[in-house]
Amino acid sequence: MVDVIMVGTVALDTVRTPFGLAEETLGGSAVYASVAASLFASVGLVGVVGKDFPQKHVDFLRAKGVDMAGLETLDGETFRWKGYYEYDMNQAHTQDTQLNVLSRFDPVLPPEYRDCKYVFLANTDPEIQMRVYEQINKPKLVMMDTMNFWIESKKEALSRMIEKVDVMLTNDAEARQFFDTPSLVKAGKAFLEMGPKAVIIKKGEHGALMFTEDQCFSAPAYPLEKLTDPTGAGDSFAGGFIGWLARTDDISPRNMRKAVIFGSTIASYNAEAFSLDKLKTISRDDVFNRYMRFQDIASF
Amino acid sequence: MVDVIMVGTVALDTVRTPFGLAEETLGGSAVYASVAASLFASVGLVGVVGKDFPQKHVDFLRAKGVDMAGLETLDGETFRWKGYYEYDMNQAHTQDTQLNVLSRFDPVLPPEYRDCKYVFLANTDPEIQMRVYEQINKPKLVMMDTMNFWIESKKEALSRMIEKVDVMLTNDAEARQFFDTPSLVKAGKAFLEMGPKAVIIKKGEHGALMFTEDQCFSAPAYPLEKLTDPTGAGDSFAGGFIGWLARTDDISPRNMRKAVIFGSTIASYNAEAFSLDKLKTISRDDVFNRYMRFQDIASF
């Protein structure tokens, strides 16, 4: 049985940043999260692709130890996202989204995934997240992500889903939007009141905030010299975070702080190159080394 | 003799935020920096006001222990700034700037200030900063701030000034603009190459980065529940930072990290209310208590 399952998108991305253009590269929330988590734990990916999805990407994920039993292939084309970043790379600008097979995605978990203890429901339609959630038996920790699109179009279904999960993951703009407040602290506490035991607000290159019952953790940014493409940083963060928790099987607030830093560490690597080009090359030792450098950079 | 001198603006501000409106309130870079630093050290303020400047503000600054020998009063009106903030309060929007007496500001340091060891040249015309700098004898640490306006209009004079100072203080947008790079790490290192021994890049509510010869310090944000008015946060940061250095008379990188956190702590108080309304009420004990809470919030 795998330690963690990642439910989300598998995509072919076309991304332009001030540093270049990457066309039809491997992407998607489930892919970034799976590869990040595979540095710490055994991972199963749940997603859908079209018949056009290159076999080399499947081979790459398998080579990373990602179990692909939950990858469905449907007639039609793979989900595609096209976007660009300007100099302030905290903001992605979407040019085109082609849902393709994703619009028919109705995930059925492989039976051996249903007892998995750690589950990440990456950003997708909250009704689909709920259908996956209902297939899981007694997980130890379920984490979800979302985006502005669902806050605007399906806030009720999204709220029902938030009530169920253990960890709510969001970015700063989404947190402000959900509760119509400029204060991330107020938004964090309001999410906690909905049910989650922990709320993590990602702030792009500026670090993250985590709120638990009686604690707040302000994680600093890892200062990155070579920022090339932030696509997938949030999902790499999520994968590193839940991968560390699954590896240690310890969901105490203290260990969750470490998990936030591991998530940030892996996300920082991810942003150094397009697509998964950097994530592909790093080892667990690299992650531990940068974690230690992170401690040095943040201590006072 | 005072421990620190603060050279900058003394203003009457009119500020609107999502939480209300403050009209013709006390403001200005030298004022915020002085009141912040007065929590740690004896401070002399160098600035200019018009004949309309309310005596109560002078009385308030004196009551805080700020030496006013360097405050000049000229015929005419006091500098005024009018601006507003939207929900994302990291960005100030200027509606109106009336330089008034500031356009005739040509600071002459009181003789007893010329041997002061710690000097903050707050944001103003870099040629004025240079004229002040030339009046100081062998200071231990000179810090400067600037803004986009001077980067655009007087980059050469600004560069000559940067070459002289020990600590360059800037915000993230200005650092990117100065070197035309999205990378704050690259910008920080490029400033270091110009001469300063330390470069601090303020990131508003997201914390700060400090670069010294062989170290980088990433200071986390202090998560603020009650964010009312960020005006003066950067100058309160600067005042707290240099005030702590002056108090301890220790400019080692290790102590500068503490100074960054003390600066952030005082800035976090400042943003809780309009003008100096909150800064007025806090004690050194309050600052130490929040500093300790900051350590707790940031540890991993």
Side-chain angles (χ1 to χ4, degrees):
Chain A
M1 195 173 67
V2 294
D3 298 321
V4 197
I5 56 173
M6 306 292 189
V7 187
T9 59
V10 180
L12 294 172
D13 288 342
T14 295
V15 181
R16 185 186 289 281
T17 82
F19 303 104
L21 172 71
E23 290 180 280
E24 294 268 310
T25 57
L26 179 60
S29 58
V31 170
Y32 281 105
S34 294
V35 174
S38 74
L39 285 156
F40 292 133
S42 68
V43 182
L45 182 153
V46 178
V48 64
V49 293
K51 292 244 155 105
D52 61 343
F53 191 67
Q55 181 61 33
K56 67 175 180 187
H57 295 330
V58 177
D59 295 343
F60 157 65
L61 288 161
R62 282 219 178 91
K64 281 281 158 195
V66 178
D67 189 272
M68 303 299 280
L71 183 73
E72 207 179 336
T73 304
L74 294 180
D75 274 337
E77 297 203 322
T78 301
F79 169 59
R80 277 170 173 77
W81 179 76
K82 186 175 177 185
Y84 66 94
Y85 298 85
E86 290 173 343
Y87 254 21
D88 178 351
M89 288 202 266
N90 288 301
Q91 176 71 37
H93 303 274
T94 294
Q95 289 168 288
D96 191 30
T97 302
Q98 292 174 28
L99 289 180
N100 298 333
V101 294
L102 195 61
S103 62
R104 289 179 279 133
F105 186 38
D106 190 10
V108 176
L109 290 188
E112 68 272 25
Y113 284 9
R114 298 185 184 201
D115 293 307
C116 187
K117 285 159 74 181
Y118 292 88
V119 178
F120 177 45
L121 305 171
N123 168 41
T124 188
D125 185 330
E127 293 178 22
I128 293 180
Q129 290 177 318
M130 186 63 89
R131 286 208 291 278
V132 174
Y133 179 80
E134 286 166 349
Q135 298 173 49
I136 312 163
N137 302 318
K138 297 187 192 291
K140 186 161 175 177
L141 183 137
V142 179
M143 176 164 77
M144 73 178 284
D145 194 0
T146 191
M147 71 182 291
N148 51 0
F149 182 75
W150 306 116
I151 297 173
E152 285 151 25
S153 63
K154 293 202 174 184
K155 196 165 181 181
E156 221 173 293
L158 180 58
S159 299
R160 280 195 299 273
M161 191 64 242
I162 294 171
E163 289 164 15
K164 300 281 190 194
V165 299
D166 302 288
V167 181
M168 176 69 196
L169 188 63
T170 169
N171 72 28
D172 44 1
E174 291 152 8
R176 291 193 168 105
Q177 181 186 15
F178 198 96
F179 295 106
D180 194 21
T181 173
S183 165
L184 297 178
V185 179
K186 280 189 183 147
K189 289 184 175 176
F191 273 129
L192 282 183
E193 275 171 25
M194 291 177 73
K197 297 180 198 72
V199 174
I200 299 171
I201 301 179
K202 298 171 287 180
K203 302 188 298 171
E205 67 164 337
H206 299 302
L209 292 173
M210 179 171 66
F211 300 91
T212 50
E213 193 189 349
D214 53 359
Q215 286 186 17
C216 170
F217 173 46
S218 179
Y222 184 84
L224 206 59
E225 187 151 11
K226 195 186 168 204
L227 177 60
T228 302
D229 174 16
T231 307
D235 297 306
S236 310
F237 173 92
F241 176 85
I242 202 167
W244 176 256
L245 295 183
R247 177 183 182 80
T248 53
D249 200 18
D250 169 1
I251 58 171
S252 64
R254 176 58 45 184
N255 197 47
M256 280 214 239
R257 287 187 177 210
K258 284 198 205 315
V260 165
I261 300 297
F262 275 116
S264 303
T265 301
I266 297 176
S268 77
Y269 276 117
N270 180 65
E272 289 183 17
F274 281 99
S275 184
L276 291 104
D277 291 357
K278 183 74 188 187
L279 229 49
K280 267 176 192 172
T281 67
I282 61 169
S283 67
R284 197 182 298 152
D285 275 357
D286 292 326
V287 176
F288 284 139
N289 285 334
R290 187 169 282 191
Y291 182 96
M292 285 185 285
R293 179 154 161 67
F294 213 149
Q295 284 186 308
D296 180 52
I297 280 172
S299 75
F300 62 88
Chain B
M1 194 173 70
V2 295
D3 299 321
V4 196
I5 57 173
M6 305 293 188
V7 187
T9 59
V10 180
L12 294 172
D13 288 343
T14 295
V15 181
R16 185 186 288 283
T17 82
F19 303 103
L21 172 71
E23 290 181 280
E24 294 269 310
T25 57
L26 179 60
S29 59
V31 170
Y32 280 106
S34 294
V35 173
S38 74
L39 285 156
F40 292 134
S42 68
V43 181
L45 182 154
V46 178
V48 64
V49 293
K51 292 244 156 104
D52 61 342
F53 191 66
Q55 180 62 32
K56 67 175 180 187
H57 295 331
V58 178
D59 296 342
F60 156 66
L61 288 160
R62 283 219 177 90
K64 282 280 158 195
V66 178
D67 188 272
M68 303 298 279
L71 184 72
E72 207 179 337
T73 305
L74 295 180
D75 274 336
E77 297 203 321
T78 301
F79 169 59
R80 277 169 173 76
W81 179 76
K82 188 176 177 182
Y84 65 95
Y85 299 86
E86 290 173 343
Y87 253 21
D88 179 351
M89 289 202 267
N90 289 300
Q91 175 71 36
H93 304 274
T94 294
Q95 288 168 287
D96 191 29
T97 301
Q98 292 174 28
L99 290 179
N100 298 331
V101 295
L102 195 62
S103 62
R104 288 178 281 133
F105 185 38
D106 190 10
V108 177
L109 288 189
E112 68 270 25
Y113 285 9
R114 298 186 184 198
D115 292 307
C116 188
K117 285 158 73 182
Y118 292 88
V119 178
F120 177 44
L121 305 171
N123 167 40
T124 187
D125 185 329
E127 295 179 21
I128 293 179
Q129 290 177 317
M130 185 62 91
R131 287 208 292 279
V132 174
Y133 179 80
E134 286 167 349
Q135 298 173 49
I136 312 163
N137 302 317
K138 297 189 193 289
K140 186 161 177 179
L141 183 138
V142 178
M143 176 164 77
M144 72 177 285
D145 195 0
T146 192
M147 70 183 290
N148 52 0
F149 181 76
W150 306 117
I151 297 174
E152 286 150 25
S153 62
K154 292 202 174 183
K155 196 165 182 181
E156 220 172 291
L158 180 58
S159 298
R160 280 195 300 273
M161 190 66 243
I162 294 170
E163 289 164 16
K164 300 282 190 193
V165 300
D166 303 287
V167 182
M168 176 68 194
L169 189 62
T170 170
N171 73 28
D172 44 0
E174 291 152 8
R176 290 191 168 108
Q177 181 186 14
F178 198 96
F179 295 106
D180 193 22
T181 173
S183 164
L184 296 179
V185 179
K186 280 189 183 147
K189 290 185 175 175
F191 273 129
L192 283 183
E193 276 171 25
M194 293 177 73
K197 296 180 198 74
V199 174
I200 300 172
I201 301 179
K202 299 171 286 181
K203 303 189 295 172
E205 67 163 339
H206 299 303
L209 292 173
M210 178 170 66
F211 301 91
T212 51
E213 193 189 347
D214 53 359
Q215 286 186 16
C216 170
F217 173 46
S218 180
Y222 184 83
L224 206 59
E225 187 150 11
K226 196 187 167 203
L227 177 59
T228 302
D229 174 16
T231 308
D235 298 306
S236 311
F237 173 91
F241 175 85
I242 202 167
W244 177 256
L245 295 182
R247 178 183 181 80
T248 52
D249 200 19
D250 169 2
I251 59 172
S252 65
R254 176 56 48 183
N255 197 48
M256 281 214 238
R257 288 188 177 209
K258 284 198 205 314
V260 166
I261 300 298
F262 275 117
S264 303
T265 301
I266 297 176
S268 76
Y269 277 117
N270 180 65
E272 289 183 18
F274 281 99
S275 184
L276 291 105
D277 290 357
K278 183 72 187 188
L279 228 49
K280 268 177 192 171
T281 69
I282 61 168
S283 66
R284 196 182 298 152
D285 275 359
D286 292 327
V287 177
F288 284 139
N289 285 333
R290 187 170 281 190
Y291 182 96
M292 285 184 286
R293 179 154 161 68
F294 213 150
Q295 285 186 307
D296 180 53
I297 281 171
S299 75
F300 62 88

